Amino acid sequence: MSLPDHIVRTSLPPFEEVVTRHGATVLRVCRALLGSVDADDAWSETFLAALRAYPELPPGSNVEAWLVTIAHRKAVDIHRVRGRTPVPTENLPEPTSTTGNPGEGDDELWTAVAELPFTQRAALVYHYVGGLPYAEIGTILGNSPAAARRAAADGRTALRRRIEYGTGCRS
């Protein structure tokens, strides 16, 4: 026997609390995956989609992992669109952000992260920026925990090679 809808809905915290609690993590993940230009759009789209789906979220769900999954899908969508859309200028003026910008203070590292293949970059970001375990990362990426762990390991190896030896990352 299932509980009536009004009982299930009251067991979830208000959506505003979810945004307050997890907004910064989702923004860091979006910025690490997409860079600062597209991250705000991905963050907004993530929470719009989450707002629509939130009433159906089962109580006891890992809300942070659920939000990172949505952010991952939005980042993939934006990444695909960016790959097909010509950019009319070489240099975009970007204001410096003080909230959640992974590039502050270590541009060499974040430039190297941005050059990794998407799956390696995503596995590293979800684990080290989002704090997710590999089991959840595998689910987000549509593969196994072992594949997620392997993608992160390959990404770390490529980053070490680039940072320590000054060589490019493999694509």
Side-chain angles (χ1 to χ4, degrees):
M1 180 174 183
S2 65
L3 296 173
D5 284 346
H6 71 280
I7 293 174
V8 173
R9 291 179 207 273
T10 59
S11 64
L12 294 172
F15 191 72
E16 294 82 11
E17 184 179 316
V18 171
V19 174
T20 301
R21 181 178 294 153
H22 302 291
T25 299
V26 171
L27 183 60
R28 283 192 307 270
V29 167
C30 291
R31 284 189 173 159
L33 289 174
L34 296 168
S36 62
V37 174
D38 295 321
D40 292 336
D41 290 338
W43 185 90
S44 297
E45 289 180 25
T46 297
F47 281 101
L48 283 173
L51 178 62
R52 289 184 198 107
Y54 189 66
E56 305 301 320
L57 186 67
S61 296
N62 183 336
V63 176
E64 187 173 52
W66 175 70
L67 289 169
V68 169
T69 300
I70 295 170
H72 164 76
R73 291 179 182 143
K74 298 302 177 185
V76 167
D77 291 345
I78 290 171
H79 184 71
R80 286 179 182 155
V81 168
R82 187 189 326 158
R84 291 179 286 209
T85 306
V87 178
T89 182
E90 290 185 28
N91 297 319
L92 284 176
E94 296 181 31
T96 303
S97 171
T98 59
T99 57
N101 189 352
E104 290 180 16
D106 201 352
D107 290 335
E108 181 183 5
L109 173 63
W110 289 104
T111 298
V113 169
E115 293 174 357
L116 290 172
F118 187 80
T119 303
Q120 291 177 10
R121 179 173 59 226
L124 287 172
V125 167
Y126 298 152
H127 186 68
Y128 292 105
V129 177
L132 298 179
Y134 290 112
E136 291 179 15
I137 295 168
T139 301
I140 292 169
L141 295 176
N143 57 28
S144 68
R149 186 180 301 278
R150 179 80 258 161
D154 290 345
R156 280 190 307 272
T157 300
L159 287 174
R160 282 189 190 111
R161 189 175 302 119
R162 173 168 176 125
I163 301 296
E164 292 174 6
Y165 303 112
T167 61
C169 294
R170 286 188 283 166
S171 298

